[in-house]
Amino acid sequence: MELPTLQHFDGLKHNKNWANEDFIPEHIFGYQIFGSTIIDDGKKVYEINEGTYFFSNRNSLAKGTKKFSPTEGYSSICICLSQKFLKTFSMTCLPADGQVPGKDMVIVFPETPLLTNYFQSLTPYINRSEEDFKDLIDAKLREATLILLKLHPEMRTRLFDFGNPEKIDLKSYMESNFRFNLSVERFSYLTGRSLSSFKKDFEEQFHDTPGKWLVRRRLKEAYMLIKRNVMRPSEVYLKVGFENLSHFSHAFKKVYGVSPSGIVERVSGP
DNA sequence: ATTTGCCGCAGGGGATGGTA
DNA sequence: TACCATCCCCTGCGGCAAAT
């Protein structure tokens, strides 16, 4: 089982090979053809099963896990409805009054002929160059947006909210989201601050720099999970936000003076 | 399966000056 | 005064190979 994430891209993509990325910057509308995708946003776990149509909100943090079908492997079609596209769309097709959007990052839609036929109609455009099919792909994106609005009018508020994240409480946000592997600059954006204001506020509240705090917090979490035999080092490093097992091993030993697999019998606590 | 050693370079940290 | 952009130095992240 590989660890995937939602890649960001413009237009249309036949998704067979997901890269590891914890941040989803744009709205994604998709169809899971084979296999399934487990998405954990830290608050809720969503299971996108074979044959499922789904929508995923922009500016989301999530860890994804790809599960292969024994016979067919894994594949999905994803459409990225970017802010650039939606702003252009909203100028030509005025959104009506919206309703209050739901809090869930992922919405799963029941199958309807409209969705089935739409995703079947994408087949000729999959993995084609944007230049050759630009107009047709753009028409398909507009069609996708209209279908979403037709089936779920409450989507207007989500799709046409072009605002940036508001300034929010650093302590609770970082404590909830340190497991996601994001750059400090991304954390600053998501907490509604410039990079320099983020560093300043962080120092005031944590008496530490963001990078150092993140590593220590992730290692502390890893320590607890390994110590309690919840996970092995090869599983835990991804869970707590490291990308690389060898680097995780180095960082762990630097802080605790012992390698990850050595703490179960040898050390009493951090 | 996990740790260790090594390397290149992206990006974090800190300082500084600009702007509203 | 608060907030932001930018610059430069250098740390440490991620990748790879080899050892354990």
Side-chain angles (χ1 to χ4, degrees):
Chain A
M1 196 164 65
E2 291 173 37
L3 280 171
T5 335
L6 299 173
Q7 291 176 340
H8 40 285
F9 46 85
D10 284 323
L12 184 60
K13 191 151 190 158
H14 186 223
N15 207 344
K16 281 190 168 177
N17 194 17
W18 300 59
N20 202 22
E21 168 70 68
D22 285 349
F23 180 62
I24 298 146
E26 303 284 12
H27 295 307
I28 303 291
F29 182 33
Y31 174 53
Q32 187 75 37
I33 305 170
F34 297 121
S36 61
T37 307
I38 313 299
I39 298 173
D40 183 352
D41 72 353
K43 304 179 198 82
K44 191 171 173 178
V45 177
Y46 305 91
E47 188 159 354
I48 313 291
N49 293 315
E50 199 163 299
T52 299
Y53 302 93
F54 63 95
F55 178 87
S56 173
N57 227 38
R58 78 181 178 103
N59 279 350
S60 296
L61 298 178
K63 286 184 182 293
T65 306
K66 175 163 71 174
K67 283 188 176 173
F68 289 82
S69 147
T71 51
E72 305 290 349
Y74 179 95
S75 121
S76 65
I77 296 176
C78 288
I79 296 158
C80 174
L81 299 173
S82 70
Q83 294 292 280
K84 188 182 164 191
F85 164 77
L86 289 168
K87 278 179 184 168
T88 309
F89 181 94
S90 69
M91 286 176 206
T92 55
C93 180
L94 276 178
D97 292 340
Q99 299 172 22
V100 178
K103 296 264 183 185
D104 283 354
M105 170 194 160
V106 175
I107 302 170
V108 172
F109 303 125
E111 186 173 355
T112 69
L114 206 51
L115 287 172
T116 309
N117 292 331
Y118 173 73
F119 276 96
Q120 277 177 0
S121 77
L122 294 179
T123 312
Y125 309 108
I126 286 167
N127 292 341
R128 298 287 188 162
S129 89
E130 290 253 344
E131 283 92 52
D132 293 348
F133 290 83
K134 192 173 182 311
D135 291 345
L136 288 166
I137 289 175
D138 192 59
K140 280 292 164 193
L141 293 183
R142 295 175 67 81
E143 188 182 346
T145 311
L146 289 168
I147 288 172
L148 279 172
L149 293 172
K150 184 79 177 171
L151 294 176
H152 304 277
E154 73 277 7
M155 294 291 293
R156 284 179 197 281
T157 319
R158 281 192 192 223
L159 290 171
F160 302 107
D161 172 14
F162 300 122
N164 290 325
E166 293 176 1
K167 193 168 181 174
I168 53 173
D169 179 61
L170 269 190
K171 280 217 162 173
S172 59
Y173 188 84
M174 295 305 294
E175 200 51 52
S176 301
N177 297 297
F178 69 85
R179 295 172 193 83
F180 295 108
N181 184 25
L182 305 181
S183 67
V184 170
E185 190 170 9
R186 189 79 84 191
F187 273 119
S188 75
Y189 168 74
L190 290 169
T191 55
R193 292 163 173 83
S194 71
L195 182 57
S196 44
S197 293
F198 177 78
K199 287 177 185 176
K200 184 173 162 288
D201 288 355
F202 200 97
E203 177 62 38
E204 280 174 8
Q205 294 193 37
F206 291 87
H207 307 293
D208 204 349
T209 60
K212 286 178 185 170
W213 182 88
L214 279 167
V215 169
R216 267 197 284 273
R217 187 66 187 84
R218 287 166 180 163
L219 288 173
K220 185 181 171 189
E221 178 88 348
Y223 188 103
M224 300 311 287
L225 291 170
I226 297 170
K227 180 80 177 170
R228 293 172 186 163
N229 286 315
V230 177
M231 286 183 175
R232 294 178 309 183
S234 57
E235 298 166 318
V236 86
Y237 79 99
L238 287 167
K239 176 81 178 171
V240 301
F242 283 84
E243 285 276 306
N244 184 282
L245 180 57
S246 76
H247 177 249
F248 167 69
S249 184
H250 277 114
F252 195 96
K253 191 162 190 179
K254 189 177 173 187
V255 170
Y256 295 115
V258 60
S259 57
S261 63
I263 62 169
V264 178
E265 312 84 14
R266 294 175 58 185
V267 183
S268 58

